[in-house]
Amino acid sequence: RIRIGGVVSRVRLIYTKKNGSEMAFASLENELGMAIDCIIFPSVFTKTRQFWSKDNIILVRGHLDAKSERVVIIVDDVTQLSS
C-alpha cells in the first residue's frame, strides 16, 4: 500500500472494451516536477471523478504495480488536499 500526494498534471479518459465503463490514466507531480503514473479503474473512477482535473492537489491511496517497464499506482481512493 502507498499514499502519495501531488498535483494532477495529466488525465486521459478511456472507455473499457468489456462494458464501456469510464476509467482514467493520470500523472501526479510533486514540487520538483517528478511524476508518477496512476491507473484509475472504473469502480474507483466513478467515486472519485471530481478529483481528476488538471492542477488539482490530491492525496492518492493505492498499491504499486511494477509488472511493466514503469512503476504505476493502482488507485484505491483519493482525498482533496487543496481547492
Side-chain angles (χ1 to χ4, degrees):
R1 309 246 348 127
I2 186 171
R3 290 179 4 160
I4 187 168
V7 177
V8 178
S9 61
R10 182 181 57 85
V11 180
R12 183 169 58 102
L13 301 178
I14 66 161
Y15 294 91
T16 62
K17 291 178 184 175
K18 184 175 181 179
N19 60 7
S21 298
E22 198 171 24
M23 64 177 285
F25 296 96
S27 290
L28 283 184
E29 284 189 14
N30 65 12
E31 66 277 0
L32 301 175
M34 295 174 16
I36 188 158
D37 293 329
C38 301
I39 300 174
I40 309 97
F41 286 111
S43 60
V44 175
F45 187 73
T46 57
K47 297 182 289 187
T48 64
R49 175 183 197 66
Q50 71 273 19
F51 300 114
W52 298 105
S53 15
K54 189 168 170 44
D55 298 327
N56 206 15
I57 302 171
I58 59 175
L59 176 68
V60 169
R61 285 183 285 283
H63 58 277
L64 292 178
D65 179 15
K67 294 176 187 162
S68 63
E69 296 173 6
R70 292 185 59 138
V71 175
V72 298
I73 298 174
I74 307 297
V75 177
D76 294 325
D77 192 32
V78 180
T79 304
Q80 180 79 42
L81 289 181
S82 176
S83 56

